[in-house]
Structures are given as structure tokens and as C-alpha cells.
Amino acid sequence: MSEQVRVRFAPSPTGDLHLGNVRTALYNWLYARHTKGVFILRVEDTDKVRSTDEACENLLDIMTWLGLTWDEGPRVGGPYASYKQSERTALYEEHLTKLKSKNVVYPCYCTEEELELERKRQMGRGHMPKYGGKCKTLTAEERKKLDAAGKPSVLRFIVPPGEILVNDEVRGEVRFPDDQLGDFVLTRSDGSPTYNFTVVVDDALMKVTHVVRGEDHLSNTPKQILLYQALGYTPPKFAHLSIIKGPDGQKLSKRHGETSVESYKAKGYQPDSFLNYLALLGWAPKSGEILSLDQMAAEFDLTHVGKSGAIFDPVKLHWMGSQYIAKISLDDLTRALLPYLADAQYITREQARVKFDWLKQVVDVVRTNLGCMSDVVKETFYFFSDELHFDPTQTEEMKGQKPLIASFQKAFGEISEFNGENFLKAVKEVGKQSGLKGKALYHPLRMAMTGREDGPELVKVAPLLGKAEVLKRLNIWITEQVKK
Ligand code: GLU
């Protein structure tokens, strides 16, 4: 029997969770569920300056909200607790002692300025920058003197000669020639351990079998493999996921819009639709694009993950959101939208209770345009306010439409029961009289009634606005035109 898969998601709690991290978490989670393995959540909070408890709690909350439940980690514990790096200092010290006893580390006293100068010189000669090993050759006597003088030092790992081969589950064989790697830092001058060191100690002790993470960590992998070897551990398998890009092909960043999962939560995206969309950024499930987490887990495998970078497409995310919203019952959806309508001050909760049936019908006519709950604010504005804003080009287009709008006003005024059927009849009658049809007939009416270029069918909108309101809006339009 092959060993049980153990994967981990290891975020640093330094701020909001980036979409790329969520996709990494999701792929780890799916792989664990697919293989009936274990999904570990480990908080990498050794950067004391940037990590905060608040960010850590937020992170755990957002993972819970997403439904990416973890089998071992903070809040749930597990056999290798603690799952917070800040609480594992003794383990790092133990491993450091082991490395020291093997003589594979040395203190380095070079200052940031000296290192910067070295980097610049190397780059000037067209070489890849790496530490040249100046402090490696210091004698014990020299080190003693420097220590006595209070010179701060970091601890570096001695990179042994030889090419390093990474057999990546996604990218295939990746070779790192040994002349690319300089002796790298294991502990900072304040004694705190660096990422490359802690990640190896933790992955080894937590018996992680597969490290699935972003491509941006590929260059760290040879360093980590060397540390596994120096510590006498077997390295796990590695799978590096392609970076998510913006529509311009550059790494997805704030420049492209919202990149944190928190912002999508705030917009009212549902976690399952959001994860469904993210799952498709690097993986094409055979059974179609819309899948529940369980369906995804049944189908997902690391060998199916693509090598090329995926492009984040907000339009497709919106489409995915709308597919999930379509599955919600009208009652539930209306209730879920209420807080957004109340926040926008369109309606109070009390008014909503009284007019719930009307509200449901409003929701029903706009629901296909909603990718997330907050979309309801822009999609229903005109149902709650007649202060429609027309931009100058629209106003220009509408000039000369006054007689047409006046005909609508007259025709609608004569309707005794203002329902969809009678509304349509009246519009058609105006069409006949004016000789207009299609867009030429409906567009000016839509603009006058809703202030929008597009939207649901007017025959559905009109009865919800009611006769008095429609007539009032047509009147506002005519008066505005007269003023101009
Ligand atoms: N804390 C690292 C990060 O957030 C984890 C990288 C890894 O998975 O090894 O990028």
C-alpha cells in the first residue's frame, strides 16, 4: 500500500489572502480529498515584523468561510502541533544544532551594503548574483574577534557542489546548475530562522509527502532539497503551480483590480462559485466547468494541472457567480440580497418586510445579471429612485424624442389595469402610429423609464414600477428636454 498523502497549505499571515494563495490552498485540499489524504494548515509567522495575530485569525476565518476545512492545524490541533511556526522555535534550534555539528554552516558578517555591492558587481559582469563566500574562509580566531566586537552575523548554509534536479509533478524535470546557488542564510542576525529553513524542518517533521505551491517558490526548491539531504530527511514530491496572470499577461496584482479573497467575499461572491472559478485556473475538468467541491475532489489530480499560466478573467468569474445564483430559490435569494439593498439605503428592513412580494419580483427580473450579491445595487437602482442620471451622449441621442415619449405618456395614461399585457399593447399601438419599431421604439422608452442602455424586458419592469411612477418618469424626461 502506498503511503497516505499529506499536503499542506502554508500561508504567511501578513495581510489579506491573495487569489493565487487560495488556488494553491484549493489544489492542496482537492488533492488531499481525492487521495483520502490529510490536508494540513500551517501558519508561517516567523516574520515578526509583518505577521499579525489579526491577519492569522482572518486567514483561518476565510479558509473556514471558503469551506476548505483542514485536518491538522490551528484551532483543530493534530499530532505535530504546534502548527504555527512562531511556536516551533525549539525545533528549529534543535535542527540548527544538528547542522552545526555537521559543519555545514558558518557565520557571515557581511553588511547589507557589502552584499549589495557584490550583487551589483556580479550583475555588471552579466553574472547571476549569489553570495561569493567571503566569510566562509574566516578563521576561528577572526570569528571570535568579530563576535567580541559585537559585529552582527547571520548563519549561512554551505552549498555542496553538484547540479540539483527537481522532478516536479507539474513542470517535469527542472535542473539547477550548482554555480547558480550561493551559500544561503538559515538564521537572521536576530537569530530568527528564515523561510527556507523552517519550511524544511516543518515539512519533514509533519511528514508532508507533496509540496504543492506557487511557481514563485521554484527557485527555493533546490535550497530546500539540499537542507533535506543535510538533515538526513527524504525530500517530498514537489508540484509548482503556474502563476495567475492578469488579462495583460503580467502577474495578477492590484493593478488589475481586486486580488484578495476578502474583497470578493465583501462583494457577496458565494464561496462555492468562487472556488469553482479558481479551480479552472490551471485545470480543465473533463466533466464540465461547473462542479461542486466534492465533484472536483473526485476528479482532481496533480497530473492534470497545466503548466502554462492561467489568466484571471473577471467576466468569467461573474458568469460563474451567476450560474450559482441561478440555483438559489427566489425567497432565499431575496433575503440574501436584503442587506445589500439596505446598505445602499434603497429600502429599510421594515419596508422590505411589508413589500416582500414586490421585492421578490424585482429580484426575479434582475437575477440573471447578478454575478455576486452586491451586483443587486447597480442592477436595481432605478426601481428605488427616479433620480436617473443620463450621460451627455445619451441626452444628445434622446433629443428629438419628445413627441415619442409624449405619445407613450398618453397611451400609458389610458391604461386602466397597468399590467405587462396592457403595457405591451400600448407600446405596440404607439409603434403603429409613429411607424417605429424595435430599438427605435424601445430604446428611448427604456432610457426614460430606467436611465439605462440595457436591462430586463420593459414589459416586466413597467408593472413593478407602476403606472404613476412610469408616467412621472416620462414627465420628468419631457420637462428636462424642454429645459434644454
Ligand atoms: N509561507 C510561504 C508563502 O506564503 C509558503 C511557501 C511554501 O508553500 O513553501 O509563500
Side-chain angles (χ1 to χ4, degrees):
M1 216 184 86
S2 58
E3 67 179 336
Q4 188 183 35
V5 165
R6 292 178 59 83
V7 288
R8 85 314 191 260
F9 174 51
S12 306
T14 51
D16 287 350
L17 202 56
H18 188 273
L19 292 186
N21 288 118
V22 180
R23 195 220 18 201
T24 299
L26 173 64
Y27 280 14
N28 274 286
W29 187 93
L30 290 174
Y31 192 53
R33 294 293 171 262
H34 180 76
T35 56
K36 305 222 173 348
V38 175
F39 176 58
I40 304 166
L41 180 63
R42 184 175 70 229
V43 177
E44 304 214 320
D45 57 351
T46 48
D47 183 340
K48 289 180 203 130
V49 183
R50 294 175 59 224
S51 307
T52 65
D53 285 344
E54 195 195 345
C56 179
E57 288 308 307
N58 281 346
L59 185 98
L60 302 178
D61 288 346
I62 209 95
M63 287 288 287
T64 307
W65 175 75
L66 286 165
L68 299 179
T69 44
W70 52 101
D71 308 307
E72 294 176 23
R75 292 186 187 166
V76 299
Y80 304 103
S82 165
Y83 292 89
K84 278 188 182 177
Q85 289 192 326
S86 58
E87 293 166 4
R88 297 172 63 82
T89 315
L91 294 167
Y92 307 134
E93 271 162 17
E94 217 176 86
H95 283 76
L96 202 57
T97 311
K98 207 163 161 186
L99 292 175
K100 280 182 185 161
S101 72
K102 291 189 169 180
N103 289 322
V104 288
V105 295
Y106 63 84
C108 166
Y109 301 88
C110 294
T111 61
E112 246 335 294
E113 292 73 32
E114 286 167 330
L115 294 171
E116 186 53 35
L117 201 65
E118 181 179 34
R119 272 195 287 270
K120 276 196 184 136
R121 278 203 191 121
Q122 287 166 337
M123 293 207 292
R125 280 189 236 119
H127 296 158
M128 279 250 294
K130 66 170 194 183
Y131 183 58
K134 187 178 160 209
C135 292
K136 189 174 164 186
T137 50
L138 289 176
T139 62
E141 198 56 35
E142 285 167 324
R143 284 179 186 150
K144 216 185 244 169
K145 260 195 210 153
L146 288 164
D147 286 338
K151 207 76 169 121
S153 64
V154 301
L155 215 53
R156 284 185 188 269
F157 175 77
I158 302 174
V159 171
E163 181 190 67
I164 302 148
L165 176 72
V166 180
N167 235 324
D168 194 272
E169 301 284 296
V170 172
R171 331 199 79 75
E173 273 190 5
V174 191
R175 291 173 185 279
F176 292 89
D178 53 351
D179 61 353
Q180 278 184 10
L181 268 191
D183 296 342
F184 55 90
V185 177
L186 294 186
T187 58
R188 304 181 185 93
S189 55
D190 64 0
S192 64
T194 58
Y195 156 71
N196 277 312
F197 179 45
T198 55
V199 83
V200 169
V201 173
D202 291 343
D203 284 341
L205 293 181
M206 294 178 183
K207 303 210 170 7
V208 168
T209 58
H210 296 71
V211 166
V212 182
R213 62 186 171 199
E215 188 185 14
D216 45 334
H217 283 293
L218 186 59
S219 60
N220 286 320
T221 308
K223 299 179 193 171
Q224 295 173 12
I225 288 178
L226 292 176
L227 285 175
Y228 278 103
Q229 289 165 350
L231 289 163
Y233 292 124
T234 312
K237 291 201 165 89
F238 290 96
H240 288 92
L241 311 171
S242 294
I243 253 45
I244 300 178
K245 296 174 184 164
D248 58 357
Q250 300 297 311
K251 185 178 171 183
L252 185 70
S253 69
K254 280 254 159 72
R255 209 156 40 82
H256 299 107
E258 303 291 356
T259 55
S260 76
V261 55
E262 285 82 354
S263 59
Y264 288 93
K265 178 174 181 255
K267 280 178 201 243
Y269 271 95
Q270 294 173 277
D272 45 2
S273 70
F274 188 68
L275 288 178
N276 194 163
Y277 175 68
L278 286 187
L280 305 181
L281 295 178
W283 172 46
K286 289 204 173 61
S287 59
E289 289 195 312
I290 300 178
L291 293 140
S292 69
L293 272 180
D294 286 345
Q295 288 168 321
M296 284 190 245
E299 219 184 291
F300 183 83
D301 204 342
L302 285 176
T303 53
H304 300 155
V305 173
K307 247 195 264 190
S308 52
I311 306 230
F312 179 74
D313 175 4
V315 177
K316 183 142 186 201
L317 171 64
H318 182 273
W319 170 81
M320 182 65 84
S322 70
Q323 300 301 303
Y324 277 77
I325 285 180
K327 296 185 208 168
I328 309 176
S329 77
L330 188 55
D331 267 63
D332 287 350
L333 180 60
T334 309
R335 267 186 218 105
L337 293 170
L338 247 178
Y340 297 89
L341 295 171
D343 273 1
Q345 301 193 333
Y346 286 180
I347 194 163
T348 64
R349 279 164 199 271
E350 178 54 27
Q351 286 165 339
R353 207 176 50 78
V354 177
K355 296 171 73 173
F356 195 70
D357 279 334
W358 176 81
L359 202 56
K360 257 168 56 176
Q361 293 175 60
V362 169
V363 169
D364 202 27
V365 300
V366 301
R367 65 181 294 164
T368 52
N369 294 331
L370 310 180
C372 59
M373 299 299 171
S374 64
D375 280 347
V376 76
V377 174
K378 65 176 180 351
E379 292 301 328
T380 61
F381 171 74
Y382 57 88
F383 282 104
F384 300 95
S385 170
D386 59 15
E387 286 175 27
L388 310 176
H389 304 288
F390 303 100
D391 75 35
T393 53
Q394 291 165 345
T395 317
E396 197 54 41
E397 205 184 307
M398 290 291 285
K399 273 195 184 141
Q401 303 288 7
K402 193 186 150 197
L404 177 65
I405 300 294
S407 317
F408 281 127
Q409 207 179 18
K410 183 163 174 295
F412 297 159
E414 285 163 8
I415 299 177
S416 53
E417 199 191 335
F418 198 72
N419 56 23
E421 197 185 325
N422 291 338
F423 171 82
L424 208 57
K425 249 193 234 158
V427 174
K428 282 191 177 147
E429 192 50 43
V430 171
K432 223 193 262 165
Q433 287 163 14
S434 61
L436 297 169
K437 54 181 179 203
K439 202 170 172 219
L441 180 67
Y442 281 94
H443 189 251
L445 180 59
R446 176 180 294 286
M447 291 294 294
M449 277 171 60
T450 70
R452 287 178 52 134
E453 298 275 347
D454 52 20
E457 286 175 90
L458 289 181
V459 62
K460 291 181 180 161
V461 174
L464 291 171
L465 286 175
K467 180 172 167 177
E469 184 64 28
V470 170
L471 289 178
K472 186 171 111 196
R473 289 181 187 196
L474 301 190
N475 197 42
I476 293 176
W477 177 258
I478 290 170
T479 351
E480 290 291 309
Q481 287 306 301
V482 171
K483 266 196 264 161
K484 287 197 177 95

